[in-house]
Amino acid sequence: MKKMALMAALLCSGWLLQAQAAGPGKADKALAGHYYLQGVREMGSELLLKADGRFEWAISYGAMDQYAKGSWRVNAGKVVLQTASTDKDPVFRPFRDEEMRVRKPAEDGYWVAIVGMPGVGPMRGVEVTFESASGKTATAVSDRAGDAMVEMPASETWARAGLRREGSKAPLQWFDLAPDRARQRLSAFAVDDIDYVREQPFQRLTLTVKGDKLVMEEGGGGLVYQRQ
């Protein structure tokens, strides 16, 4: 119970988001395998170290489920997990009518674009360019809730929206707005890959090798993963 409470506290405090320093190294095929968290009640976690240098990690605690993937290597008797970033440009599409849960129009004077994956969650960091029928444009970036919002005069009618990842030099992906969406000043756009909406729970994580076990010692309270 003590370990379970500690792990929950670490997750909630954002400890797993902290990057740890790590030197060079490479995957050791002898350590490849499936590891499971030991001795912690009401919490499940597993780590798959693949022989090709990739890993998958998952944890489940109450209503919280987290997942990470990336590459792993060995450095000075420790396994270093480095999560992968999604560098390819996302592909967007408008939400279908049955996917749209928000029906209330945006407030007068504002246009709102919601970005994410239906039934999964929002995507932040998407640059949205709003264009009116008269050619007037405004740009906003989606926030943590997936919302991008701009101010527009009531005299303007929303005609289309262009989307791309913030900081990307890729061309905007343009979509004409359906008449009802334009009237409500509210639309939503889906992304094609779940990795864009599922934030990695950590950037880098280090575990000490002890036989067939991996121990999360730095801040992890001695949590143990054992190979099976």
Side-chain angles (χ1 to χ4, degrees):
M1 292 297 291
K2 182 178 179 181
K3 286 185 178 180
M4 180 181 68
L6 175 60
M7 185 59 152
L10 291 171
L11 288 165
C12 292
S13 67
W15 175 83
L16 289 179
L17 293 173
Q18 298 175 4
Q20 303 172 18
K26 62 180 181 179
D28 183 345
K29 292 183 180 181
L31 292 174
H34 213 148
Y35 295 78
Y36 294 85
L37 182 64
Q38 303 296 306
V40 183
R41 295 179 57 189
E42 300 179 27
M43 178 185 293
S45 181
E46 56 187 281
L47 170 64
L48 175 61
L49 299 181
K50 301 180 181 181
D52 63 1
R54 293 177 297 157
F55 81 87
E56 294 183 36
W57 174 90
I59 190 168
S60 179
Y61 173 66
M64 181 201 71
D65 293 297
Q66 292 184 318
Y67 171 80
K69 64 180 181 179
S71 61
W72 67 280
R73 62 184 183 275
V74 178
N75 183 52
K78 298 180 184 294
V79 170
V80 181
L81 309 179
Q82 177 71 54
T83 55
S85 60
T86 305
D87 295 325
K88 68 183 182 69
D89 291 316
V91 176
F92 300 100
R93 65 166 177 83
F95 271 39
R96 294 185 287 271
D97 286 343
E98 64 271 19
E99 295 171 334
M100 194 70 179
R101 295 290 181 262
V102 181
R103 300 291 180 178
K104 184 179 179 180
E107 294 183 18
D108 291 339
Y110 292 93
W111 293 356
V112 178
I114 302 169
V115 187
M117 181 172 281
V120 178
M123 178 180 177
R124 64 176 172 179
V126 177
E127 175 189 332
V128 182
T129 297
F130 302 75
E131 186 177 290
S132 71
S134 70
K136 184 179 178 64
T137 62
T139 300
V141 176
S142 61
D143 59 18
R144 192 176 186 87
D147 297 342
M149 182 173 62
V150 297
E151 293 187 54
M152 275 288 182
S155 59
E156 298 288 347
T157 300
W158 192 359
R160 62 177 189 156
L163 291 82
R164 64 184 171 194
R165 202 173 186 182
E166 183 182 18
S168 172
K169 297 187 182 302
L172 289 165
Q173 298 173 45
W174 287 99
F175 302 95
D176 294 331
L177 253 67
D180 60 333
R181 296 286 105 213
R183 285 193 297 269
Q184 293 187 329
R185 305 174 302 283
L186 173 70
S187 193
F189 302 91
V191 67
D192 67 327
D193 191 333
I194 194 172
D195 284 341
Y196 289 111
V197 301
R198 181 172 53 194
E199 294 186 11
Q200 298 278 24
F202 59 84
Q203 296 173 344
R204 186 176 291 121
L205 186 62
T206 301
L207 302 99
T208 301
V209 180
K210 294 189 175 181
D212 62 348
K213 299 178 182 179
L214 300 176
V215 182
M216 191 188 302
E217 294 182 335
E218 296 180 13
L223 294 176
V224 176
Y225 288 80
Q226 183 164 16
R227 181 164 50 187
Q228 295 184 5

